[in-house]
Amino acid sequence: MHDPAHRLLLAALAAAVISTWTAPACADDTEEVLLGVGIAVLAAGDLTFSVRDIVAVARDEHPGFAWSLSETLITGPQTIAFGVATAVLSADRSEEDATLASLLMAPGASWLGTLTAHGLWGAMDPGAAPGGLFGASPLIGGNFSLTLVAVGNAAAGRLPPIGPAAIETLGATPGAIVGGYYIAKDEDHRGLWIGLTAWSGTLFVHGLISCIAGAIHDDDDADEDAPLPPEPPPPPPPEKPTMIKAARWTVVPTTMQDAAGQRVPAISVAGQLW
């Protein structure tokens, strides 16, 4: 108990309990008080583990089996619960709500996944290099979070929207690069690095395809939302044709008086041209 890390953990837990208990001291709902205390205690513990991990890598020392096991046992259930919540919220029918939920939940799932991976790896491998242990854990935690978002959207029958898809593509890139580098350099843990590289590469390809599909989908929606062109004006009414009346002629026999005053036969012609 003389380890400064243990004293830091106890102090953080005590401060969390006191600050959470005094705020709602007058509340009648005991369940809310206990829930608040529990959340504060867990958050303080997670923060303490994070600080302890940073101190260990700064000193270039292994955290130790006891500390790593404690880190795994305390953060493991939180990681599972937070991960399930992230996947469920990412499967919301509304893409906007799912995107917002994944952006809010994914960082917490990544943090908890990082702590759990750090503790589990440290407990299983007492000879793990502090730098590799500290550097690889965030890659595992990040891949864990990105996978949950992808699984949640797949459960909803769709690819991730373009926002989470871009984060998935960018977030998986470091794991693919680092894993590929250490496959050749770290022979003792080559299997781990191969798995990390394959995992990160799969997420990268999945995110890239989702980005392309999302961009095409947005273009289609933009085309559908674009206003339709105005209808052409109606054609002018047809002009009435000019009616041309046919000429009419009338020919009848008649008589005419000549210069001598005698009546002689003749023909009378009358007609209308238009």
Side-chain angles (χ1 to χ4, degrees), residues 80-94 97-98 101-102 105 148-149 151-153 155-156 158:
I80 296 174
F82 222 87
V84 171
T86 301
V88 171
L89 293 176
S90 298
D92 193 277
R93 292 183 178 180
S94 172
D97 293 343
S102 61
M105 298 292 290
L148 293 173
V149 175
V151 169
N153 282 276
R158 62 171 181 261

PDB file of all heavy atoms in Angstrom, residues 80-94 97-98 101-102 105 148-149 151-153 155-156 158:
ATOM      1  N   ILE A  80     -17.352  -3.908 -21.933  1.00  0.00           N
ATOM      2  CA  ILE A  80     -18.430  -4.693 -22.536  1.00  0.00           C
ATOM      3  C   ILE A  80     -19.738  -3.899 -22.550  1.00  0.00           C
ATOM      4  O   ILE A  80     -20.433  -3.824 -23.570  1.00  0.00           O
ATOM      5  CB  ILE A  80     -18.602  -6.026 -21.781  1.00  0.00           C
ATOM      6  CG1 ILE A  80     -17.338  -6.876 -21.936  1.00  0.00           C
ATOM      7  CG2 ILE A  80     -19.830  -6.773 -22.294  1.00  0.00           C
ATOM      8  CD1 ILE A  80     -17.347  -8.142 -21.105  1.00  0.00           C
ATOM      9  N   ALA A  81     -20.080  -3.288 -21.411  1.00  0.00           N
ATOM     10  CA  ALA A  81     -21.332  -2.538 -21.322  1.00  0.00           C
ATOM     11  C   ALA A  81     -21.329  -1.343 -22.266  1.00  0.00           C
ATOM     12  O   ALA A  81     -22.304  -1.088 -22.989  1.00  0.00           O
ATOM     13  CB  ALA A  81     -21.552  -2.081 -19.882  1.00  0.00           C
ATOM     14  N   PHE A  82     -20.222  -0.606 -22.276  1.00  0.00           N
ATOM     15  CA  PHE A  82     -20.136   0.564 -23.141  1.00  0.00           C
ATOM     16  C   PHE A  82     -20.127   0.143 -24.603  1.00  0.00           C
ATOM     17  O   PHE A  82     -20.696   0.830 -25.463  1.00  0.00           O
ATOM     18  CB  PHE A  82     -18.862   1.353 -22.816  1.00  0.00           C
ATOM     19  CG  PHE A  82     -19.068   2.839 -22.782  1.00  0.00           C
ATOM     20  CD1 PHE A  82     -19.481   3.469 -21.620  1.00  0.00           C
ATOM     21  CD2 PHE A  82     -18.851   3.601 -23.908  1.00  0.00           C
ATOM     22  CE1 PHE A  82     -19.663   4.838 -21.584  1.00  0.00           C
ATOM     23  CE2 PHE A  82     -19.034   4.974 -23.892  1.00  0.00           C
ATOM     24  CZ  PHE A  82     -19.442   5.596 -22.722  1.00  0.00           C
ATOM     25  N   GLY A  83     -19.482  -0.979 -24.895  1.00  0.00           N
ATOM     26  CA  GLY A  83     -19.448  -1.454 -26.272  1.00  0.00           C
ATOM     27  C   GLY A  83     -20.815  -1.866 -26.773  1.00  0.00           C
ATOM     28  O   GLY A  83     -21.210  -1.529 -27.898  1.00  0.00           O
ATOM     29  N   VAL A  84     -21.573  -2.582 -25.945  1.00  0.00           N
ATOM     30  CA  VAL A  84     -22.926  -2.990 -26.336  1.00  0.00           C
ATOM     31  C   VAL A  84     -23.802  -1.755 -26.561  1.00  0.00           C
ATOM     32  O   VAL A  84     -24.563  -1.682 -27.534  1.00  0.00           O
ATOM     33  CB  VAL A  84     -23.536  -3.913 -25.270  1.00  0.00           C
ATOM     34  CG1 VAL A  84     -25.003  -4.169 -25.559  1.00  0.00           C
ATOM     35  CG2 VAL A  84     -22.770  -5.236 -25.209  1.00  0.00           C
ATOM     36  N   ALA A  85     -23.689  -0.770 -25.671  1.00  0.00           N
ATOM     37  CA  ALA A  85     -24.474   0.453 -25.824  1.00  0.00           C
ATOM     38  C   ALA A  85     -24.108   1.185 -27.115  1.00  0.00           C
ATOM     39  O   ALA A  85     -24.981   1.702 -27.822  1.00  0.00           O
ATOM     40  CB  ALA A  85     -24.263   1.362 -24.621  1.00  0.00           C
ATOM     41  N   THR A  86     -22.825   1.215 -27.445  1.00  0.00           N
ATOM     42  CA  THR A  86     -22.388   1.880 -28.677  1.00  0.00           C
ATOM     43  C   THR A  86     -22.968   1.189 -29.908  1.00  0.00           C
ATOM     44  O   THR A  86     -23.460   1.842 -30.834  1.00  0.00           O
ATOM     45  CB  THR A  86     -20.855   1.886 -28.761  1.00  0.00           C
ATOM     46  OG1 THR A  86     -20.324   2.570 -27.619  1.00  0.00           O
ATOM     47  CG2 THR A  86     -20.382   2.580 -30.027  1.00  0.00           C
ATOM     48  N   ALA A  87     -22.920  -0.130 -29.932  1.00  0.00           N
ATOM     49  CA  ALA A  87     -23.454  -0.872 -31.078  1.00  0.00           C
ATOM     50  C   ALA A  87     -24.966  -0.698 -31.195  1.00  0.00           C
ATOM     51  O   ALA A  87     -25.496  -0.512 -32.294  1.00  0.00           O
ATOM     52  CB  ALA A  87     -23.096  -2.348 -30.948  1.00  0.00           C
ATOM     53  N   VAL A  88     -25.669  -0.744 -30.073  1.00  0.00           N
ATOM     54  CA  VAL A  88     -27.133  -0.621 -30.105  1.00  0.00           C
ATOM     55  C   VAL A  88     -27.542   0.766 -30.590  1.00  0.00           C
ATOM     56  O   VAL A  88     -28.439   0.923 -31.434  1.00  0.00           O
ATOM     57  CB  VAL A  88     -27.718  -0.916 -28.714  1.00  0.00           C
ATOM     58  CG1 VAL A  88     -29.203  -0.571 -28.670  1.00  0.00           C
ATOM     59  CG2 VAL A  88     -27.519  -2.384 -28.352  1.00  0.00           C
ATOM     60  N   LEU A  89     -26.906   1.809 -30.071  1.00  0.00           N
ATOM     61  CA  LEU A  89     -27.253   3.169 -30.480  1.00  0.00           C
ATOM     62  C   LEU A  89     -26.863   3.434 -31.927  1.00  0.00           C
ATOM     63  O   LEU A  89     -27.519   4.216 -32.627  1.00  0.00           O
ATOM     64  CB  LEU A  89     -26.574   4.181 -29.557  1.00  0.00           C
ATOM     65  CG  LEU A  89     -27.071   4.179 -28.108  1.00  0.00           C
ATOM     66  CD1 LEU A  89     -26.253   5.150 -27.263  1.00  0.00           C
ATOM     67  CD2 LEU A  89     -28.555   4.546 -28.045  1.00  0.00           C
ATOM     68  N   SER A  90     -25.804   2.791 -32.405  1.00  0.00           N
ATOM     69  CA  SER A  90     -25.404   2.963 -33.803  1.00  0.00           C
ATOM     70  C   SER A  90     -26.362   2.282 -34.762  1.00  0.00           C
ATOM     71  O   SER A  90     -26.326   2.555 -35.967  1.00  0.00           O
ATOM     72  CB  SER A  90     -23.988   2.406 -34.023  1.00  0.00           C
ATOM     73  OG  SER A  90     -23.039   3.105 -33.242  1.00  0.00           O
ATOM     74  N   ALA A  91     -27.206   1.391 -34.242  1.00  0.00           N
ATOM     75  CA  ALA A  91     -28.176   0.691 -35.083  1.00  0.00           C
ATOM     76  C   ALA A  91     -29.521   1.411 -35.134  1.00  0.00           C
ATOM     77  O   ALA A  91     -30.501   0.840 -35.623  1.00  0.00           O
ATOM     78  CB  ALA A  91     -28.372  -0.740 -34.570  1.00  0.00           C
ATOM     79  N   ASP A  92     -29.586   2.641 -34.648  1.00  0.00           N
ATOM     80  CA  ASP A  92     -30.840   3.388 -34.668  1.00  0.00           C
ATOM     81  C   ASP A  92     -31.327   3.557 -36.106  1.00  0.00           C
ATOM     82  O   ASP A  92     -30.528   3.676 -37.047  1.00  0.00           O
ATOM     83  CB  ASP A  92     -30.642   4.761 -34.017  1.00  0.00           C
ATOM     84  CG  ASP A  92     -31.964   5.448 -33.719  1.00  0.00           C
ATOM     85  OD1 ASP A  92     -32.530   6.082 -34.635  1.00  0.00           O
ATOM     86  OD2 ASP A  92     -32.432   5.341 -32.579  1.00  0.00           O
ATOM     87  N   ARG A  93     -32.650   3.552 -36.277  1.00  0.00           N
ATOM     88  CA  ARG A  93     -33.204   3.659 -37.623  1.00  0.00           C
ATOM     89  C   ARG A  93     -32.858   4.988 -38.286  1.00  0.00           C
ATOM     90  O   ARG A  93     -32.645   5.051 -39.485  1.00  0.00           O
ATOM     91  CB  ARG A  93     -34.726   3.496 -37.569  1.00  0.00           C
ATOM     92  CG  ARG A  93     -35.184   2.086 -37.186  1.00  0.00           C
ATOM     93  CD  ARG A  93     -36.691   1.991 -37.230  1.00  0.00           C
ATOM     94  NE  ARG A  93     -37.157   0.640 -36.908  1.00  0.00           N
ATOM     95  CZ  ARG A  93     -38.439   0.288 -36.869  1.00  0.00           C
ATOM     96  NH1 ARG A  93     -39.388   1.194 -37.128  1.00  0.00           N
ATOM     97  NH2 ARG A  93     -38.779  -0.957 -36.574  1.00  0.00           N
ATOM     98  N   SER A  94     -32.809   6.031 -37.484  1.00  0.00           N
ATOM     99  CA  SER A  94     -32.447   7.340 -38.020  1.00  0.00           C
ATOM    100  C   SER A  94     -30.929   7.440 -38.165  1.00  0.00           C
ATOM    101  O   SER A  94     -30.190   7.275 -37.190  1.00  0.00           O
ATOM    102  CB  SER A  94     -32.957   8.448 -37.089  1.00  0.00           C
ATOM    103  OG  SER A  94     -32.460   9.711 -37.476  1.00  0.00           O
ATOM    104  N   ASP A  97     -29.476  10.243 -35.900  1.00  0.00           N
ATOM    105  CA  ASP A  97     -29.364   9.867 -34.487  1.00  0.00           C
ATOM    106  C   ASP A  97     -28.254   8.843 -34.286  1.00  0.00           C
ATOM    107  O   ASP A  97     -27.511   8.895 -33.298  1.00  0.00           O
ATOM    108  CB  ASP A  97     -30.694   9.306 -33.984  1.00  0.00           C
ATOM    109  CG  ASP A  97     -31.786  10.370 -33.949  1.00  0.00           C
ATOM    110  OD1 ASP A  97     -31.444  11.576 -34.000  1.00  0.00           O
ATOM    111  OD2 ASP A  97     -32.971   9.998 -33.902  1.00  0.00           O
ATOM    112  N   ALA A  98     -28.131   7.903 -35.210  1.00  0.00           N
ATOM    113  CA  ALA A  98     -27.079   6.887 -35.101  1.00  0.00           C
ATOM    114  C   ALA A  98     -25.696   7.519 -35.221  1.00  0.00           C
ATOM    115  O   ALA A  98     -24.766   7.149 -34.493  1.00  0.00           O
ATOM    116  CB  ALA A  98     -27.272   5.820 -36.178  1.00  0.00           C
ATOM    117  N   ALA A 101     -24.988   9.409 -31.958  1.00  0.00           N
ATOM    118  CA  ALA A 101     -24.723   8.479 -30.856  1.00  0.00           C
ATOM    119  C   ALA A 101     -23.348   7.843 -30.994  1.00  0.00           C
ATOM    120  O   ALA A 101     -22.610   7.711 -30.002  1.00  0.00           O
ATOM    121  CB  ALA A 101     -25.804   7.398 -30.820  1.00  0.00           C
ATOM    122  N   SER A 102     -22.984   7.453 -32.210  1.00  0.00           N
ATOM    123  CA  SER A 102     -21.679   6.815 -32.403  1.00  0.00           C
ATOM    124  C   SER A 102     -20.543   7.794 -32.130  1.00  0.00           C
ATOM    125  O   SER A 102     -19.514   7.422 -31.564  1.00  0.00           O
ATOM    126  CB  SER A 102     -21.577   6.255 -33.820  1.00  0.00           C
ATOM    127  OG  SER A 102     -21.688   7.294 -34.779  1.00  0.00           O
ATOM    128  N   MET A 105     -20.417   8.094 -28.251  1.00  0.00           N
ATOM    129  CA  MET A 105     -20.102   6.890 -27.485  1.00  0.00           C
ATOM    130  C   MET A 105     -18.749   6.297 -27.858  1.00  0.00           C
ATOM    131  O   MET A 105     -18.081   5.691 -27.018  1.00  0.00           O
ATOM    132  CB  MET A 105     -21.192   5.837 -27.709  1.00  0.00           C
ATOM    133  CG  MET A 105     -22.576   6.246 -27.245  1.00  0.00           C
ATOM    134  SD  MET A 105     -22.696   6.385 -25.453  1.00  0.00           S
ATOM    135  CE  MET A 105     -22.562   4.660 -24.998  1.00  0.00           C
ATOM    136  N   LEU A 148     -17.489  -1.782 -33.364  1.00  0.00           N
ATOM    137  CA  LEU A 148     -18.837  -1.734 -32.792  1.00  0.00           C
ATOM    138  C   LEU A 148     -19.753  -0.830 -33.609  1.00  0.00           C
ATOM    139  O   LEU A 148     -20.923  -1.154 -33.837  1.00  0.00           O
ATOM    140  CB  LEU A 148     -18.758  -1.240 -31.344  1.00  0.00           C
ATOM    141  CG  LEU A 148     -18.071  -2.184 -30.354  1.00  0.00           C
ATOM    142  CD1 LEU A 148     -17.909  -1.490 -29.005  1.00  0.00           C
ATOM    143  CD2 LEU A 148     -18.862  -3.470 -30.195  1.00  0.00           C
ATOM    144  N   VAL A 149     -19.238   0.308 -34.043  1.00  0.00           N
ATOM    145  CA  VAL A 149     -20.048   1.214 -34.865  1.00  0.00           C
ATOM    146  C   VAL A 149     -20.409   0.548 -36.193  1.00  0.00           C
ATOM    147  O   VAL A 149     -21.553   0.652 -36.660  1.00  0.00           O
ATOM    148  CB  VAL A 149     -19.294   2.537 -35.100  1.00  0.00           C
ATOM    149  CG1 VAL A 149     -20.072   3.441 -36.051  1.00  0.00           C
ATOM    150  CG2 VAL A 149     -19.058   3.261 -33.774  1.00  0.00           C
ATOM    151  N   VAL A 151     -20.618  -2.701 -36.776  1.00  0.00           N
ATOM    152  CA  VAL A 151     -21.566  -3.792 -36.509  1.00  0.00           C
ATOM    153  C   VAL A 151     -22.965  -3.237 -36.258  1.00  0.00           C
ATOM    154  O   VAL A 151     -23.969  -3.786 -36.733  1.00  0.00           O
ATOM    155  CB  VAL A 151     -21.085  -4.624 -35.303  1.00  0.00           C
ATOM    156  CG1 VAL A 151     -22.164  -5.589 -34.844  1.00  0.00           C
ATOM    157  CG2 VAL A 151     -19.816  -5.398 -35.671  1.00  0.00           C
ATOM    158  N   GLY A 152     -23.053  -2.132 -35.518  1.00  0.00           N
ATOM    159  CA  GLY A 152     -24.357  -1.532 -35.258  1.00  0.00           C
ATOM    160  C   GLY A 152     -25.054  -1.094 -36.538  1.00  0.00           C
ATOM    161  O   GLY A 152     -26.253  -1.335 -36.728  1.00  0.00           O
ATOM    162  N   ASN A 153     -24.314  -0.460 -37.442  1.00  0.00           N
ATOM    163  CA  ASN A 153     -24.918  -0.046 -38.705  1.00  0.00           C
ATOM    164  C   ASN A 153     -25.271  -1.242 -39.578  1.00  0.00           C
ATOM    165  O   ASN A 153     -26.288  -1.218 -40.288  1.00  0.00           O
ATOM    166  CB  ASN A 153     -23.955   0.881 -39.453  1.00  0.00           C
ATOM    167  CG  ASN A 153     -23.950   2.290 -38.905  1.00  0.00           C
ATOM    168  OD1 ASN A 153     -24.784   3.123 -39.257  1.00  0.00           O
ATOM    169  ND2 ASN A 153     -23.005   2.576 -38.014  1.00  0.00           N
ATOM    170  N   ALA A 155     -26.241  -4.097 -38.469  1.00  0.00           N
ATOM    171  CA  ALA A 155     -27.474  -4.651 -37.910  1.00  0.00           C
ATOM    172  C   ALA A 155     -28.699  -3.880 -38.390  1.00  0.00           C
ATOM    173  O   ALA A 155     -29.797  -4.436 -38.465  1.00  0.00           O
ATOM    174  CB  ALA A 155     -27.402  -4.637 -36.381  1.00  0.00           C
ATOM    175  N   ALA A 156     -28.511  -2.598 -38.698  1.00  0.00           N
ATOM    176  CA  ALA A 156     -29.609  -1.785 -39.223  1.00  0.00           C
ATOM    177  C   ALA A 156     -29.770  -1.934 -40.730  1.00  0.00           C
ATOM    178  O   ALA A 156     -30.628  -1.286 -41.330  1.00  0.00           O
ATOM    179  CB  ALA A 156     -29.398  -0.315 -38.865  1.00  0.00           C
ATOM    180  N   ARG A 158     -27.419  -1.284 -43.184  1.00  0.00           N
ATOM    181  CA  ARG A 158     -26.830  -0.206 -43.981  1.00  0.00           C
ATOM    182  C   ARG A 158     -25.344  -0.102 -43.687  1.00  0.00           C
ATOM    183  O   ARG A 158     -24.847  -0.653 -42.703  1.00  0.00           O
ATOM    184  CB  ARG A 158     -27.502   1.137 -43.648  1.00  0.00           C
ATOM    185  CG  ARG A 158     -27.310   1.550 -42.187  1.00  0.00           C
ATOM    186  CD  ARG A 158     -27.770   2.960 -41.911  1.00  0.00           C
ATOM    187  NE  ARG A 158     -27.542   3.302 -40.511  1.00  0.00           N
ATOM    188  CZ  ARG A 158     -28.464   3.271 -39.567  1.00  0.00           C
ATOM    189  NH1 ARG A 158     -29.694   2.908 -39.865  1.00  0.00           N
ATOM    190  NH2 ARG A 158     -28.163   3.603 -38.313  1.00  0.00           N
TER     191      ARG A 158
END
